[in-house]
Amino acid sequence: MIRFDNVSKRYENGYEALGQLNLSIAEGEMCFLTGHSGAGKSTLLKLIMRMETASQGQVFIKGQNLSRMSNSQVPYLRRNIGVVFQNHQLLFDRSVFDNVALPLLIEGADPIDIGRRVRAALDKVGLLKKEKLNPITLSGGEQQRVGIARAVVNKPPLLLADEPTGNLDPQLSSEIMHLFEEFNEVGVTVVIASHDLSLIARMGHRVITLSDGHLVNDGSTL
Amino acid sequence: MSEVGKPHNLGASPRGAVGATPSHPRRGVTPKTAPVTRTSAQHKPVQKHKPLPQHKPTQRRAHSEGASEAKVQTNQKISSWLRHHRLMASDSFSRVVKAPFASLMTWAVLAIALALPASLYIFLNNAQLVTSNWDGTAQMSLFLKLEMSEKRSEQLADDLRQRSDIASVQYVSRAQALSEFKQFSGFGEALDYLDGNPLPSVLVVRPAAGKINQQEQLLQELQSLPEVDEAQLDLAWVKRLYYIMELAQRMVLALAVLLGIAVLLVVGNTIRLAIESRRDEIIIVKLVGGTNAFVRRPFLYTGIWYGLGGGLMAWGIINVSLIWLSGPVRALASVYSSSFELVGLGMADSLLLIISGTVLGWLGAWVAVGRHLGEIEPR
């Protein structure tokens, strides 16, 4: 699903975020990406989203070489990737429903279909009753679940999460993580960047540890 | 929710068939549609551990998403494209209306910028109408040969009156010409020393209304008559007027271009602010796979609404001013015993005004979107 071939990323200011990284994540896998802040976790996710391009090496998503991808193709890549952000990235000028419906609207889905799929996604994260509310009225955990619903509403084969539990208490954090596990169980490849080591350890999935842009550990334990 | 599992895309008949056949032959073809139907419609009576069967089909669904995406039928794409256009048109319209004061200001600025050249254009049109009446009264003077008798001259005047391209002919005899000349030239006494009357008799011909070149043709024709010594058409002032008109027309055109650019800039700036205020939304839309066209669309419609509103308002301003002016114009015309009425914007001109406002709004939005949307990328 995801393959990094000798990938380096150097920003314009000369900072090297990733150095000669080789990595492969299989279809249907669930893994955690960890490391101290500035280790390159976010850069790695951005390379997958093609928000950044590799300075060296190649990134493949489903066999597609992102460095050879034209800008006009990027939206179609992103439609196959669901993303969950630490700060939710919700729009407060519209309802929960409309927030979740956004990816479907972009895809040009049928309105009836949109209603059905949005409600299915909201049902999945347990927010079906709050679809008409403005997300600003929701708690942090609920907002994060709206973000997750939006990320999965168009059934992307790949789900990325950048510190999805960053601002949540342990109870909520593990609920969110279990939600991700459920998506993984139905075949979605899930990559979660997190520094919540104790939670990660309890989950028992593959853990990729980065340090200063280099892969220092890759295995099922920390 | 149960039957929204949309095998309806496959046509009408399979729906019943799928429900009846236990093997679900179509499942393999469209795994995407399968799970919902299976869990909620078919398997409901069985009530077999609900969560479990949900997993596998969804897994297949997830994998086939990319493939089935590509197979989205063209007409489906077109209809969703049209739907988004409708949605964005109404959404941007409601945004424009929801900020009535700001929108009114923008409309007013655009309306003034559009109304100015348009009203000058109307003014020119009316001036041309007035002067075209004058064109018809341009006079030709036919100086007849000195040896022509009075009788033959009058005969010629009568002949000319029969022609359709001549409105009227006035005969001025040699004696009349002399007395007029004495009266107006101030050489009256000097003329008394002359032996005879040096002035020829004159036919003052008013051609029927026509274009300048037609009149010149008529002039040449009259010139070639054996009785005529010389024919003169005072075209100089007609030409002068014509050139002044042409100059004025070009000035109006230049002004229209300048103010058109002003409309572009005003709309462009307004759209730039709109883009800035929706920055977060643009970033999120780009993150979840919105194409540039998708991001651009609401702003282009906003530009169209501004332009259309400005055009309509300009049209209103012009028509109100015309009504306001029509009284004095009628009074002025009656002093000149003319029945002249102001001619306003016709159907075609009105449409042109409103459409050019709309197009300028759209173009201005394009300029702003092209300049500012590229800068907003998720980081």
Side-chain angles (χ1 to χ4, degrees):
Chain A
M1 176 62 92
I2 302 173
R3 189 153 63 87
F4 277 62
D5 253 6
N6 216 12
V7 172
S8 297
K9 175 62 189 178
R10 188 184 292 276
Y11 285 102
E12 274 170 25
N13 57 15
Y15 174 69
E16 196 185 59
L18 287 179
Q20 308 200 319
L21 186 74
N22 285 298
L23 184 67
S24 165
I25 297 169
E27 206 162 326
E29 208 176 337
M30 173 155 182
C31 63
F32 287 99
L33 198 58
T34 189
H36 60 89
S37 59
K41 303 190 291 285
S42 296
T43 302
L44 199 148
L45 293 182
K46 282 178 180 172
L47 286 170
I48 296 173
M49 292 285 291
R50 206 177 176 281
M51 288 157 73
E52 299 287 353
T53 47
S55 317
Q56 262 172 41
Q58 268 124 30
V59 180
F60 294 90
I61 305 294
K62 279 186 125 182
Q64 204 173 7
N65 189 340
L66 298 198
S67 46
R68 294 222 190 108
M69 181 180 265
S70 72
N71 284 336
S72 60
Q73 285 175 291
V74 171
Y76 302 99
L77 166 77
R78 290 185 184 158
R79 287 179 196 184
N80 285 319
I81 306 175
V83 215
V84 178
F85 304 91
Q86 179 176 9
N87 55 358
H88 325 315
Q89 298 270 35
L90 299 178
L91 292 166
F92 296 131
D93 64 347
R94 59 194 73 187
S95 66
V96 166
F97 181 97
D98 288 338
N99 265 283
V100 177
L102 191 62
L104 298 176
L105 206 65
I106 285 167
E107 256 178 30
D110 192 74
I112 303 164
D113 216 25
I114 288 179
R116 184 178 60 78
R117 289 161 78 178
V118 168
R119 293 201 176 90
L122 282 174
D123 192 25
K124 184 79 190 154
V125 299
L127 288 174
L128 194 49
K129 285 182 184 141
K130 312 223 168 177
E131 58 164 288
K132 291 199 177 71
L133 296 179
N134 187 306
I136 208 159
T137 62
L138 303 182
S139 70
E142 286 172 327
Q143 289 189 1
Q144 190 56 284
R145 298 217 297 269
V146 175
I148 292 170
R150 185 184 63 195
V152 299
V153 71
N154 61 342
K155 308 281 178 202
L158 174 59
L159 187 58
L160 305 181
D162 193 2
E163 303 283 0
T165 60
N167 300 324
L168 305 178
D169 62 50
Q171 169 71 24
L172 277 175
S173 297
S174 82
E175 271 178 41
I176 297 280
M177 287 302 184
H178 283 300
L179 206 48
F180 283 121
E181 269 183 332
E182 281 179 45
F183 291 119
N184 178 243
E185 277 165 23
V186 299
V188 179
T189 312
V190 180
V191 180
I192 302 170
S194 174
H195 56 248
D196 193 344
L197 296 180
S198 59
L199 182 60
I200 292 172
R202 256 183 290 134
M203 307 275 298
H205 292 282
R206 178 182 171 190
V207 179
I208 298 161
T209 311
L210 293 176
S211 178
D212 291 323
H214 295 277
L215 191 67
V216 293
N217 187 28
D218 187 353
S220 56
T221 49
L222 278 172
Chain B
M1 236 173 99
S2 60
E3 56 173 324
V4 213
K6 66 161 189 182
H8 58 264
N9 279 346
L10 307 169
S13 56
R15 188 185 292 218
V18 168
T21 22
S23 55
H24 310 310
R26 283 188 183 270
R27 281 284 150 67
V29 189
T30 52
K32 186 180 175 184
T33 67
V36 182
T37 330
R38 172 180 290 188
T39 48
S40 37
Q42 267 93 31
H43 284 245
K44 214 167 200 172
V46 191
Q47 289 287 351
K48 248 200 271 179
H49 27 252
K50 232 180 178 179
L52 261 171
Q54 212 169 8
H55 294 334
K56 268 203 166 168
T58 332
Q59 177 166 4
R60 278 190 284 150
R61 160 171 40 180
H63 292 188
S64 66
E65 187 73 43
S68 61
E69 203 81 311
K71 285 179 200 159
V72 174
Q73 286 172 0
T74 326
N75 54 350
Q76 228 174 325
K77 268 187 184 168
I78 290 171
S79 76
S80 80
W81 179 81
L82 284 175
R83 199 184 312 121
H84 188 246
H85 267 275
R86 270 200 305 276
L87 193 68
M88 285 304 107
S90 62
D91 178 68
S92 55
F93 183 72
S94 68
R95 274 174 200 270
V96 167
V97 175
K98 264 181 197 161
F101 189 70
S103 302
L104 265 180
M105 296 264 277
T106 310
W107 280 332
V109 171
L110 299 185
I112 291 167
L114 289 170
L116 221 83
S119 49
L120 281 175
Y121 168 77
I122 292 175
F123 173 78
L124 266 188
N125 253 357
N126 282 292
Q128 248 166 353
L129 266 183
V130 173
T131 53
S132 73
N133 292 343
W134 295 346
D135 275 356
T137 65
Q139 291 181 356
M140 289 178 195
S141 303
L142 304 187
F143 299 99
L144 302 183
K145 288 186 172 138
L146 278 175
E147 63 270 19
M148 290 275 291
S149 72
E150 222 162 277
K151 204 167 181 195
R152 270 194 66 194
S153 303
E154 282 191 64
Q155 177 68 40
L156 178 65
D158 278 342
D159 287 349
L160 290 180
R161 280 187 190 106
Q162 307 302 315
R163 295 181 57 132
S164 63
D165 53 352
I166 288 173
S168 71
V169 179
Q170 187 198 350
Y171 171 60
V172 181
S173 70
R174 295 182 63 186
Q176 274 175 304
L178 187 65
S179 70
E180 267 180 36
F181 188 73
K182 274 183 183 167
Q183 204 178 333
F184 294 114
S185 66
F187 290 116
E189 283 165 24
L191 288 172
D192 288 340
Y193 294 101
L194 291 173
D195 301 343
N197 182 355
L199 299 177
S201 51
V202 180
L203 294 183
V204 179
V205 175
R206 285 170 193 268
K211 290 192 175 145
I212 287 180
N213 52 3
Q214 286 173 331
Q215 293 180 5
E216 274 184 295
Q217 211 178 342
L218 174 66
L219 183 75
Q220 268 164 23
E221 218 173 297
L222 296 177
Q223 173 85 72
S224 60
L225 290 174
E227 298 91 342
V228 175
D229 187 29
E230 199 184 345
Q232 265 186 9
L233 171 63
D234 192 8
L235 274 178
W237 71 272
V238 176
K239 279 185 175 161
R240 219 173 287 144
L241 190 70
Y242 177 79
Y243 290 131
I244 288 173
M245 281 297 193
E246 204 174 56
L247 185 68
Q249 263 167 347
R250 293 213 176 175
M251 279 162 71
V252 169
L253 193 68
L255 193 74
V257 168
L258 281 178
L259 288 167
I261 292 171
V263 169
L264 278 185
L265 295 178
V266 169
V267 173
N269 200 43
T270 313
I271 297 295
R272 184 181 64 82
L273 293 175
I275 290 173
E276 210 48 53
S277 73
R278 292 173 74 182
R279 197 186 183 88
D280 293 344
E281 186 185 342
I282 293 169
I283 288 179
I284 291 172
V285 166
K286 283 192 174 181
L287 272 178
V288 296
T291 56
N292 282 334
F294 184 92
V295 177
R296 210 183 287 132
R297 212 162 285 150
F299 298 108
L300 294 184
Y301 271 107
T302 310
I304 286 175
W305 293 129
Y306 280 134
L308 181 63
L312 286 171
M313 215 183 209
W315 186 82
I317 289 175
I318 287 168
N319 281 299
V320 168
S321 324
L322 282 176
I323 291 168
W324 188 59
L325 286 177
S326 64
V329 166
R330 208 174 296 132
L332 188 66
S334 73
V335 172
Y336 286 91
S337 60
S338 148
S339 60
F340 176 75
E341 290 261 3
L342 271 181
V343 175
L345 287 172
M347 190 67 184
D349 289 337
S350 303
L351 273 180
L352 183 69
L353 173 68
I354 292 164
I355 288 173
S356 52
T358 311
V359 168
L360 284 173
W362 176 76
L363 269 180
W366 252 110
V367 171
V369 163
R371 260 193 60 73
H372 302 288
L373 226 47
E375 295 166 10
I376 303 177
E377 280 290 338
R379 286 275 170 263

